[in-house]
Amino acid sequence: MASIFSLVTGKRGPSGYGSASTAEEVTEGIDASNLTVIVTGGASGIGAETARVFALRRAHVIIAARNVEPANDTKKIIIKSNPTARVDIMKLDLSSLKSVRAFADNFLATGLPLNILINNAGVMFCPFQLSVDGFEMQFATNHLGHFYLTNLLLENIKRTAKETGIEGRIVNLSSIAHLHTYEGGILFDQIDNKARYNDRMAYGQSKLANILHARELSRRLKEEGANVTVNSVHPGVIMTNLMRHSFPMMKVIQVFTYLLWKNVQQGAATTCYVSLHPSIKGVTGKYFDDCNEVKPSILASDEKLAKRLWDFSDKLVKSAE
């Protein structure tokens, strides 16, 4: 009840920010001119707003997008309002591990450093289908693609942090939907079983995987002493293109729950806060909502489950390679 009250009223938490805070507000006064950031799914929705605000704070922004045309439209909009913005577009289809590899190779070939990786892109509530690699689409896109991408870029992030002395940050966009998943959390043995498929629970499974991924990667990086943090966030409930597979239903729900919904500017706030704010320095393996640290589900806090998912994901990637 307390969290719902804070969401509706915009009451600020310990961070000084709350559900009504915007991405511009939480990054006000921050100079990111020495940072390079990749935003997956930065062509629309909260990804586009995240890219815009990072560009506003003078970061070099790489928008990684499946559809290059709308990404270029977003770039034009950003530059129109901010002519000095540094924004580049690179193609990335997270449902294809071949595309993920190609993106990583192309980015690494530029010789650019990488300070911040924002794993923002995703699909939601889509009908059952398999990716080109044969994996259930929501799990493939929301988790496995980002898992592989992060691993391919990790050495660059660690090296950049070491050479510059600036903490590297990786942020996974999860969701409160991680609470609504299959029994046991992850259907390891039936991940691609159409008979077991439920579009809502499959989405929740992929969002749980985002938190578990961040948790296990955080543990590994701490063990090796890398100056890189990994956290996950719930952006809030926002009407964006992510909901295209359930738009009519979500519009009906929105009518009765309108007080709980955020606009895009508010929806990008927690991502930008965790990615850029100095108060998050050294904070890793945590889950944030409304720009404040909160506890995720029991399953999302399960270290053994996180380790098992890591090994499972690694095996899937290697089988597809």
Side-chain angles (χ1 to χ4, degrees), residues 26-196:
V26 303
T27 59
E28 186 175 359
I30 296 176
D31 180 7
S33 58
N34 57 346
L35 303 179
T36 300
V37 55
I38 291 176
V39 183
T40 70
S44 62
I46 59 177
E49 175 66 2
T50 299
R52 183 190 73 81
V53 171
F54 263 88
L56 182 66
R57 303 305 175 217
R58 301 173 62 198
H60 182 186
V61 179
I62 312 296
I63 293 177
R66 181 169 57 89
N67 296 315
V68 174
E69 188 174 341
N72 277 314
D73 291 340
T74 296
K75 176 181 177 178
K76 290 175 184 176
I77 292 169
I78 292 173
I79 292 177
K80 184 176 181 180
S81 62
N82 179 12
T84 62
R86 294 177 294 159
V87 181
D88 289 310
I89 309 298
M90 294 182 69
K91 185 173 179 60
L92 170 65
D93 181 355
L94 285 156
S95 70
S96 163
L97 296 181
K98 182 179 179 181
S99 176
V100 173
R101 164 62 78 175
F103 171 88
D105 287 346
N106 290 336
F107 175 79
L108 295 173
T110 68
L112 287 169
L114 182 57
N115 303 92
I116 301 170
L117 172 61
I118 301 177
N119 291 321
N120 166 85
V123 294
M124 179 182 184
F125 298 169
C126 56
F128 179 83
Q129 56 185 307
L130 297 178
S131 70
V132 66
D133 300 300
F135 307 126
E136 187 274 308
M137 186 61 77
Q138 295 193 78
F139 186 82
T141 304
N142 298 351
H143 167 64
L144 200 60
H146 281 129
F147 172 85
Y148 189 37
L149 176 67
T150 303
N151 282 352
L152 292 173
L153 298 176
L154 193 56
E155 287 305 314
N156 185 315
I157 299 172
K158 290 193 292 184
R159 183 175 63 252
T160 300
K162 185 175 182 179
E163 292 176 352
T164 64
I166 301 171
E167 178 181 86
R169 295 186 183 183
I170 299 169
V171 178
N172 285 356
L173 266 77
S174 179
S175 168
I176 196 171
H178 82 273
L179 296 167
H180 183 60
T181 182
Y182 298 106
E183 184 178 354
I186 309 291
L187 288 180
F188 290 105
D189 298 326
Q190 302 185 68
I191 200 78
D192 307 319
N193 188 338
K194 184 176 182 179
R196 289 294 309 275

